[in-house]
Amino acid sequence: MFVWSKRLVATLLGLFVLMLGAFLLNPAPESTSGLKIHTTRWMALNYVGLIAWVFVWMIDQARMRGKNVWVWLIPFILAPLPTLMLFVLFLQRRIQSS
């Protein structure tokens, strides 16, 4: 892949491990509402990691096809799944020759 350099992967994994460490070092919740907050943080950590991975994949795919991915950034932040689907459809459309 174009964008996935060892440095980028090491940085992203390092950041994830740091966030995971901070998350796990938080004391265990003592109440049910604390457990909900704990679970919500865990889900948010994984969601942010997935979103970052998908956007790097989009950068990679756009660079391989000579397209600009940065116009997709704001829609991707607001609605990741529909934007990803539209991006894939955009990349798969036939090139019209003049």
Side-chain angles (χ1 to χ4, degrees):
M1 293 182 116
F2 239 16
V3 177
W4 288 106
S5 68
K6 289 181 183 179
R7 177 192 269 170
L8 175 64
V9 170
T11 302
L12 290 175
L13 283 175
L15 286 172
F16 181 77
V17 167
L18 284 174
M19 288 188 297
L20 183 61
F23 174 77
L24 292 177
L25 290 177
N26 245 350
E30 297 177 9
S31 67
T32 305
S33 63
L35 183 59
K36 289 179 184 176
I37 292 169
H38 190 72
T39 304
T40 303
R41 286 181 186 160
W42 176 251
M43 291 171 60
L45 174 65
N46 282 283
Y47 181 76
V48 168
L50 179 64
I51 292 299
W53 178 82
V54 169
F55 195 72
V56 170
W57 176 83
M58 287 173 64
I59 293 170
D60 183 60
Q61 295 301 307
R63 286 184 66 189
M64 287 191 331
R65 291 167 175 80
K67 304 290 183 190
N68 184 8
V69 74
W70 298 108
V71 297
W72 296 89
L73 179 62
I74 299 299
F76 186 75
I77 290 171
L78 297 175
L81 187 59
T83 304
L84 177 63
M85 292 187 296
L86 289 172
F87 178 76
V88 169
L89 290 174
F90 172 74
L91 291 181
Q92 289 181 348
R93 67 184 181 160
R94 292 183 182 258
I95 299 173
Q96 297 176 1
S97 53
S98 19

